Amino acid sequence: SPDGTTLAAGRVDSRVELWGVETQTNIATLERHFGEVFSVTFSPDSTTVASGASDGTVKLWNVETQTNIVTLEGHTAPVTSVAFSPDGTRLASGGEDATVRLWDLTNTDEWMTLEKHTGWTNVLAFSPDGKMLASGSTDKTVQLWNTATGEPLATFTGHINGITALAFSPDGTTLVSGSADGMIRFWNTQTRALLSDRITGHTQWVRAATFFKESSTLASVAFNGEITFWDVKTPQKPTVHTEGHREWLSTLAFSPDGTKLASVGANKTMLFGAPLNFPSSERSDHLVRLTDVSTGRELATLEFTRGFQQLIFSPNGRTVAFGSWGEIHLWNTDTGDELNIPLIDWTRVDWE
């Protein structure tokens, strides 16, 4: 959560788990979905969790009372992404039905359906002032929306594969899109113009992108572990380019201040022709690596052999949390201390 007190985890068995970070105990098991939970996010004030699932619904949960506040229905296919507006009054959801829903959380009976995409909505991002919403899709386009009216502001094209990452600059004047085609594109949100004809710097899919606080520098990471730094004023020329330290990145996360990268690597074989060329097999290298984003220098490693799922940093950037088989693992990157939080009581599992 933004205040660092609670950890939320979506599960394949339709549940959402809430854990107290300080108490290291399960706060609640939230059970109302009827399918795998694909996306979970906290509201900016940490009081509410939104979850999107394969049953096509979005649910809002009260963290304090551990109750379902409301179920938002409208998607006709699995919900793959959810995002709160910066002020927490709106929620955006995207799904495999090619629509984006914009929900008014002050009156959940009212919502807008944003329809321009022709493929799944993979990623959503609000502008810092909440007045714009960007959505990226497997249809290779980025749509920019007016959140007050739901009207489309622009359609950004040029990528030759699905959109995998979106980020607004802190001042909201620049939008960055990353794609499975390995390209980064910079867009001026005021003029709706592309800031450079074609920006290349990665040879693999762009996995994530984040702006530094001063707005002029962006860090992007590809699936093969390459970290590239871009000066927004001259985006065609990377300021720094560091080679990846493994064959493939299976999951990663930036620290909140953008100075560190936590990542897990793997060896993979590719199944071409699948959606977004999804990998067909993976063999983890059993290491979580902490990297200095500005230099590419490896700061620390954690060996862990029980499998990895999504990585996330605590708000203060000191602790990395990741899911594994039946547990959540916490790693204090300052002290090296580790903590396992079990999600399953294995003594009660029927192995027959």
Side-chain angles (χ1 to χ4, degrees), residues 5 31 45 52 70 74 81 89-90 101 108 110 139 163 240 245-246 258 267:
T5 63
E31 301 183 67
D45 62 5
V70 67
S81 55
T89 62
R90 291 176 179 168
R101 311 278 168 153
T108 54
E110 296 185 3
D139 65 9
I163 308 304
V240 181
H245 48 75
R246 56 176 66 79
N267 298 315

Side-chain angles (χ1 to χ4, degrees), residues 11-313:
R11 298 178 50 146
V12 297
D13 61 4
S14 78
R15 295 184 293 175
V16 176
E17 299 272 6
L18 297 182
W19 290 83
V21 174
E22 291 186 3
T23 61
Q24 304 166 16
T25 57
N26 177 268
I27 297 173
T29 299
L30 311 176
E31 301 183 67
R32 286 291 180 92
H33 279 296
F34 294 96
E36 182 176 354
V37 179
F38 287 140
S39 183
V40 176
T41 189
F42 278 91
S43 61
D45 62 5
S46 302
T47 63
T48 305
V49 168
S51 56
S54 62
D55 60 10
T57 67
V58 177
K59 294 183 181 291
L60 298 181
W61 310 88
N62 185 300
V63 174
E64 182 178 2
T65 63
Q66 299 111 46
T67 56
N68 182 212
I69 302 170
V70 67
T71 298
L72 306 176
E73 299 179 334
H75 285 285
T76 58
V79 177
T80 53
S81 55
V82 289
F84 278 98
S85 62
D87 64 2
T89 62
R90 291 176 179 168
L91 181 78
S93 59
E96 294 182 13
D97 58 3
T99 69
V100 176
R101 311 278 168 153
L102 191 58
W103 309 88
D104 182 353
L105 300 185
T106 63
N107 181 3
T108 54
D109 291 331
E110 296 185 3
W111 71 88
M112 291 182 282
T113 302
L114 314 181
E115 296 181 281
K116 286 283 284 184
H117 286 300
T118 58
W120 299 1
T121 304
N122 294 327
V123 59
L124 298 166
F126 278 94
S127 61
D129 62 7
K131 294 181 179 180
M132 294 180 289
L133 173 70
S135 58
S137 170
T138 59
D139 65 9
K140 310 171 190 176
T141 70
V142 176
Q143 299 290 341
L144 192 65
W145 310 91
N146 182 317
T147 58
T149 65
E151 293 298 316
L153 298 174
T155 300
F156 298 137
T157 62
H159 286 292
I160 59 175
N161 212 327
I163 308 304
T164 53
L166 292 171
F168 279 94
S169 61
D171 63 7
T173 61
T174 303
L175 174 67
V176 167
S177 58
S179 168
D181 61 14
M183 286 196 297
I184 294 283
R185 290 181 177 267
F186 292 74
W187 313 91
N188 186 307
T189 59
Q190 298 172 328
T191 65
R192 321 290 193 240
L194 180 65
L195 296 181
S196 181
D197 291 337
R198 179 182 175 89
I199 303 168
T200 59
H202 290 296
T203 58
Q204 297 283 359
W205 310 352
V206 177
R207 180 66 175 80
T210 186
F211 273 94
F212 289 88
K213 293 181 180 180
E214 76 276 10
S215 293
S216 64
T217 303
L218 175 97
S220 62
V221 182
F223 272 92
N224 62 353
E226 292 177 344
I227 305 173
T228 303
F229 302 90
W230 309 90
D231 184 342
V232 175
K233 298 176 183 177
T234 57
Q236 71 278 8
K237 296 180 181 179
T239 55
V240 181
H241 183 81
T242 62
E243 292 299 325
H245 48 75
R246 56 176 66 79
E247 180 178 340
W248 195 269
L249 282 181
S250 61
T251 185
L252 59 86
F254 282 106
S255 62
D257 63 4
T259 62
K260 291 180 288 187
L261 173 74
S263 58
V264 174
N267 298 315
K268 288 180 179 280
T269 57
M270 299 297 297
L271 178 62
F272 292 96
L276 285 181
N277 295 338
F278 280 128
S280 61
S281 66
E282 173 182 319
R283 180 172 57 82
S284 172
D285 62 8
H286 303 305
L287 287 176
V288 182
R289 299 176 190 260
L290 188 69
T291 304
D292 185 316
V293 170
S294 63
T295 65
R297 182 173 63 90
E298 188 172 278
L299 301 174
T301 61
L302 172 69
E303 185 171 2
F304 194 82
T305 61
R306 296 192 294 278
F308 299 93
Q309 295 177 23
Q310 185 175 5
L311 290 167
I312 190 170
F313 272 92

